Amino acid sequence: RDYSQMYNELLQISQDYPDIVDLFSLGPSTCKTYYLQGMQNYINYQHEIWCLKLSDNPTVEENEANVFFASTIHAREPISLEVNMHILYHLLENYGNDADISYYINNTQIWFIPLMNPDGHKMVIDRISIMHRKNLRDNNNDQTPISNQDGVDLNRNFGYVYGSNGTSSNPTSDTYRGPYAWSELESSYARDLIQARRFSVGVTYHSYGQWVLYPLGHLPGACSLDHEIMGNLATQMALTIPRISGTGHYTPAQAVDFGYTCQGTMGDWGYAEERVFAYTIELASSFI
C-alpha cells in the first residue's frame, strides 16, 4: 500500500464500522509541516499520522485496558504496515462472530498507528530511495525531500536514555538520532498518545529477522523488573508465528540479545517510563 491506499481504506473502515471505530489524525508529518510553512518542494508529501481506535465505545474513554499496534517507524520496512492492516481487518471482520475477538473489542481499547513514518515510506514505495530508513527532517536546509543527508531515525529519538549507544550524531547516518530527544513530530505523537492514557501492552512491527523482542535493549546486561513475565509472554507469542525461512517459529529474546544495543527506542521508553509491555516483532527475512 502507499499512503493514499492506506488512508482510503481507513476512511472506508470508519464508514463501514462506525459503532466500533474512531479515526483521527495525531498531527501532520514533518514534510506536511514544511509545506504549510511555504516550502513548495514538499507539495507531494502532505501526510497525516493516522490513528484508529477500535472499541465498542470508540469515542468514549472507558476504564479498560489499552493496547496499541504501531508500524512503519522505519521507512524501508513496509511489510510492517501490511501486517498491521491485516490484524485490523481480522478483528473487524470477526467481531460479532468470534467470541474471543468480540470480547477483546468490547473490553479493550485497541489503538492502531499503521504508518508512523509516511514521508520516509513514500521514498521507499515510490522507489525514490528504496532503502531509506528515516523520516525526512531537512538536515541540510536545502528545502527538498530528496537528499541522503535528510532524516532522523525515529526509533533512536525517544527520550529514555537518549544518547550515543547504537546511534549516530551524523545526519547522513541511517541511525542519526536527531538534534535532541523528541525533536521529531512523529516520535512525539506516539509519546503523547501513550502518555494520555494507561497502556498495558503494545506491539511495534519492524523487519527483519523473525524475532519477538522485549525490553530492555539499550545497554549490554540491562534487565527489566518484569524480565521473566515479559520473556514468558514473548515465548508464547513467538510460538504462534511460523518462520517463512527455515523451520520452526520466531525466536523470542530480550532486545539486548538481538545482535546490537541501541538507545532512544520506542520499546525501551515505553516500558521504562510508561510501564508498557512494549514488544518489537521483527518480521520476515529481509527489509523489503
Side-chain angles (χ1 to χ4, degrees), residues 42-90:
Y42 294 94
I43 191 171
N44 294 322
Y45 290 80
Q46 296 186 58
H47 303 128
E48 299 281 331
I49 315 302
W50 292 101
C51 182
L52 184 145
K53 180 184 176 184
L54 177 59
S55 183
D56 62 340
N57 293 297
T59 60
V60 178
E61 284 294 315
E62 297 183 288
N63 184 24
E64 297 177 342
N66 287 285
V67 176
F68 71 77
F69 292 96
S71 55
T72 336
I73 194 170
H74 288 147
R76 66 187 181 192
E77 302 171 12
I79 192 176
S80 61
L81 167 60
E82 305 307 313
V83 169
N84 200 323
M85 293 295 292
H86 173 79
I87 291 171
L88 173 58
Y89 276 117
H90 180 70

Side-chain angles (χ1 to χ4, degrees), residues 110-169:
I110 310 171
W111 308 77
F112 290 84
I113 315 175
L115 188 49
M116 294 183 67
N117 181 7
D119 298 337
H121 182 259
K122 179 177 173 62
M123 296 280 283
V124 173
I125 294 298
D126 289 357
R127 302 192 181 194
I128 298 168
S129 178
I130 200 165
M131 290 303 289
H132 190 82
R133 171 182 170 98
K134 303 179 286 183
N135 73 351
L136 290 179
R137 167 184 274 271
D138 189 17
N139 293 326
N140 60 357
N141 295 312
D142 66 353
Q143 297 190 18
T144 179
I146 305 173
S147 168
N148 64 2
Q149 297 184 39
D150 285 343
V152 167
D153 183 342
L154 298 174
N155 206 36
R156 304 293 184 273
N157 191 243
F158 285 73
Y160 176 70
V161 290
Y162 171 86
S164 61
N165 191 39
T167 75
S168 175
S169 60

